[in-house]
């Protein structure tokens, strides 16, 4: 039981300790309850990568940055997929598909999403 909880969520006591350590502010934008934002305690290393529910692995994020963090992980897969599709379309000289993928990938670039995944045109 104890081990299971350790792998799951932070306990209320751990959350309180993490919030207090981070001064009840989002570690990215510095906003807090005073600014009217909702705060979450997030796993720095995500649970699905083996991140544990420890104080050291916890950080305070506002609802917005918590959402962005989760979404970026999801879009990472999407970006890789569109790069593969783009390369395939290029090889097959399928210009409509190539343009479609290029438009989507340009949107990733425009918003600087997953910039560490390089799209070679
Ligand atoms: Zn924030």
């Amino acid at each position: 039981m104890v081990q299971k909880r350790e792998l799951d969520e932070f306990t209320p006591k751990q959350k309180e300790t993490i919030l207090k350590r981070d001064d009840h502010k989002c570690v990215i934008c510095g906003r807090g309850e005073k600014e009217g934002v909702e705060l979450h305690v997030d796993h720095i290393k995500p649970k699905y990568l083996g991140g544990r529910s420890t104080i050291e692995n916890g950080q305070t994020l506002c609802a917005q940055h918590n959402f962005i963090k989760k979404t970026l992980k999801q879009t990472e897969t999407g970006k890789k997929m569109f790069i593969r599709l783009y390369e395939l379309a290029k090889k097959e000289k399928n210009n409509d598909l190539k343009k479609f993928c290029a438009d989507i990938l340009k949107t990733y670039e425009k918003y600087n999403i997953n910039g560490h995944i390089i799209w070679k045109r």
Side-chain angles (χ1 to χ4, degrees), residues 78-90:
K79 188 173 183 183
K80 286 178 189 163
M81 200 185 78
F82 282 115
I83 290 172
R84 290 176 66 92
L85 196 58
Y86 174 84
E87 278 160 7
L88 182 75
K90 204 160 90 171

Side-chain angles (χ1 to χ4, degrees), residues 26-31 61-65:
C26 170
V27 296
I28 296 176
C29 65
R31 291 182 305 165
L61 290 181
C62 68
Q64 187 196 351
H65 281 115

Side-chain angles (χ1 to χ4, degrees), residues 88-99:
L88 182 75
K90 204 160 90 171
K91 207 156 65 186
E92 292 182 342
K93 298 192 181 3
N94 183 341
N95 285 330
D96 282 347
L97 184 60
K98 196 178 130 185
K99 188 179 178 311

Side-chain angles (χ1 to χ4, degrees), residues 28-43:
I28 296 176
C29 65
R31 291 182 305 165
E33 277 138 17
K34 206 171 64 182
E35 286 81 14
V37 300
E38 193 188 318
L39 293 174
H40 297 263
V41 175
D42 171 63
H43 289 77

